[in-house]
Amino acid sequence: MSVHISSDDLNRIRVGYDGNPSTSSSLRAEAYTDQKWFAADQQKILARSWQWVCHVEKVREPGSYITATTIAGMPVAIVRDRQGVLRAFYNVCKHRAHELLSGEGQTTRIMCPYHAWVYGLDGGLVRAPHTENLDGFNAKEICLDAVQVEEFCGFVFVNLDPDATPLSEQSGDLETEIRHWAPDIDQLTFGKRLTYDIRSNWKNVVDNFLECYHCPTAHKDFCDLVDMDTYKVTTHGIYSSHMADAGKGANSAYDVSNATVRTHAVWWLWPTTCLMRYPGRSSMIVLNVIPVGPDRTLETYDFYLETPEPDPMELDAMRYLDEVLQPEDIGLVESVQRGMSTPAFDQGRIVNDPDGSGQSEHAVHHFHGLVLEAYGA
């Protein structure tokens, strides 16, 4: 269902926001609670932005494929054709709309499991049983609907907007920055996935990720894991970077005394992708934020490691994230969602440190500006 956002809606949702984070308030509560604004999120943000799918290792070889059902609620299939070209399509048969591929794997063709219509890996229809007597039917004129797809920093992203600018252009210096800190990102391999179902709007989840103002109160273990005095947050175009040195002493999160990577390097990419390089071995954690409803969000944490099997330090880091850090953050955003659904809250002030420390909400303000810009596009 298409959503109509009137000029009055836009004027109301912008009240309190200012381009200067030191004088601005946050997004209004209705943006987090109203079904209309969630529909706007789906259509004006998620369907028009680059969405993370997987590491390139999943579709490195010709004939490899993977499917996704969470791209603004749309089903998408990504395949590597025989010439090595990466392609993406709506995962929908042109005959009766049945799903074509499921899961991931290897294939030489795309065959619909309903009526056995067969498509090549380039999306063109090559066989449709018992259609030879149809008037005006030409299989060569039928092709799956293409979706924009791009390899970026060792990962695969798709965009439902056929007119979207390539991610490599939109994201400025992000790839250069990530590859500086993670030069082996293309060679990392999948190790583990953690999943969470959260009773909160996705924007609350992103807000929480983008600031460490809450860390000394809510994440005392984390504040020992990293040196908070070195924590800096920098905003750029459609991303922000969050950097800190590893803590110098013992901590209660997980042991990093033998870590070869000593920098906590984290990037948020508009609107729902978070890339994290925690102290330890070379690795990358991808947090994918998946909006489901006005008050429900799914999260996946995918760990990409030097080897498929985590080492003891990585196992301990996974335990810390799963059993300590995530429950802390989920409790926070679910409480915020409940508060936003009451008449006691409309919006709050952005807390800004002009020096860009971790204990500042300027990256939240940056995110809110992008949301409002998308609503008005």
Side-chain angles (χ1 to χ4, degrees):
M1 182 181 68
S2 179
V3 61
H4 173 67
I5 302 298
S6 69
S7 58
D8 287 343
D9 292 329
L10 287 172
N11 290 335
R12 186 179 69 256
I13 206 68
R14 287 179 177 138
V15 169
Y17 178 85
D18 189 272
N20 180 357
S22 291
T23 59
S24 182
S25 292
S26 65
L27 282 177
R28 295 169 65 87
E30 67 177 281
Y32 299 81
T33 60
D34 193 313
Q35 175 63 41
K36 177 173 65 177
W37 289 109
F38 179 74
D41 291 344
Q42 291 278 73
Q43 295 174 30
K44 293 179 171 291
I45 297 176
L46 303 172
R48 298 182 180 180
S49 58
W50 288 95
Q51 302 288 308
W52 178 88
V53 178
C54 65
H55 191 277
V56 72
E57 71 171 350
K58 292 286 188 182
V59 286
R60 206 187 298 274
E61 301 301 322
S64 55
Y65 72 87
I66 189 169
T67 61
T69 59
T70 56
I71 310 302
M74 296 290 122
V76 174
I78 298 95
V79 300
R80 180 82 65 178
D81 72 15
R82 294 181 181 183
Q83 286 70 45
V85 177
L86 193 63
R87 300 179 182 272
F89 310 98
Y90 281 95
N91 193 20
V92 176
C93 183
K94 301 301 286 186
H95 173 221
R96 294 283 296 282
H98 196 282
E99 178 184 83
L100 292 165
L101 295 169
S102 61
E104 59 187 73
Q106 282 276 337
T107 188
T108 58
R109 60 183 183 172
I110 301 171
M111 187 175 79
C112 180
Y114 196 6
H115 297 99
W117 282 34
V118 177
Y119 303 84
L121 299 184
D122 62 355
L125 181 65
V126 295
R127 186 170 71 87
H130 309 299
T131 57
E132 58 273 8
N133 295 320
L134 297 183
D135 294 335
F137 181 86
N138 185 351
K140 294 181 180 179
E141 295 177 350
I142 297 175
C143 187
L144 299 178
D145 286 20
V147 170
Q148 284 213 67
V149 62
E150 186 171 340
E151 295 180 47
F152 180 79
C153 284
F155 296 103
V156 175
F157 290 79
V158 297
N159 194 323
L160 300 183
D161 181 358
D163 299 320
T165 304
L167 178 57
S168 58
E169 294 181 22
Q170 286 190 27
S171 58
D173 294 330
L174 177 59
E175 182 163 15
T176 300
E177 192 172 326
I178 291 176
R179 290 190 181 278
H180 170 77
W181 293 103
D184 60 346
I185 193 167
D186 298 270
Q187 282 70 52
L188 297 176
T189 188
F190 177 77
K192 186 179 179 66
R193 168 171 283 191
L194 300 173
T195 60
Y196 305 93
D197 193 335
I198 304 170
R199 296 185 297 275
S200 177
N201 185 273
W202 72 278
K203 296 188 292 295
N204 269 329
V205 174
V206 173
D207 286 351
N208 182 72
F209 182 87
L210 289 176
E211 51 93 352
C212 219
Y213 181 40
H214 69 280
C215 291
T217 305
H219 301 314
K220 297 187 184 301
D221 303 296
F222 181 82
C223 291
D224 292 329
L225 176 65
V226 304
D227 181 354
M228 290 300 294
D229 290 337
T230 65
Y231 205 122
K232 292 292 181 183
V233 178
T234 309
T235 61
H236 315 260
I238 63 165
Y239 77 95
S240 57
S241 58
H242 307 245
M243 302 289 176
D245 296 336
K248 297 180 174 61
N251 72 81
S252 53
Y254 64 95
D255 183 14
V256 295
S257 57
N258 295 320
T260 54
V261 172
R262 302 292 303 174
T263 302
H264 172 79
V266 172
W267 299 269
W268 166 77
L269 173 62
W270 163 262
T272 54
T273 304
C274 309
L275 306 173
M276 300 176 282
R277 191 167 167 88
Y278 276 24
R281 278 199 307 176
S282 182
S283 65
M284 187 65 74
I285 308 169
V286 181
L287 163 58
N288 188 27
V289 178
I290 305 166
V292 178
D295 57 357
R296 186 179 176 215
T297 302
L298 301 180
E299 283 184 339
T300 59
Y301 276 79
D302 283 6
F303 293 79
Y304 295 94
L305 313 172
E306 292 181 13
T307 57
E309 293 299 321
D311 69 9
M313 183 171 15
E314 288 161 346
L315 286 172
D316 205 23
M318 292 172 185
R319 173 208 55 79
Y320 163 67
L321 196 152
D322 188 38
E323 298 179 8
V324 180
L325 191 60
Q326 270 299 94
E328 290 171 346
D329 275 331
I330 291 172
L332 293 172
V333 298
E334 290 186 342
S335 176
V336 168
Q337 187 70 28
R338 292 192 297 270
M340 285 184 168
S341 301
T342 71
F345 182 84
D346 181 42
Q347 63 187 157
R349 281 296 294 268
I350 294 292
V351 175
N352 180 51
D353 176 3
D355 292 330
S357 73
Q359 296 185 57
S360 172
E361 295 176 322
H362 59 286
V364 178
H365 175 265
H366 171 243
F367 169 51
H368 293 180
L370 292 172
V371 169
L372 293 173
E373 182 181 338
Y375 285 166

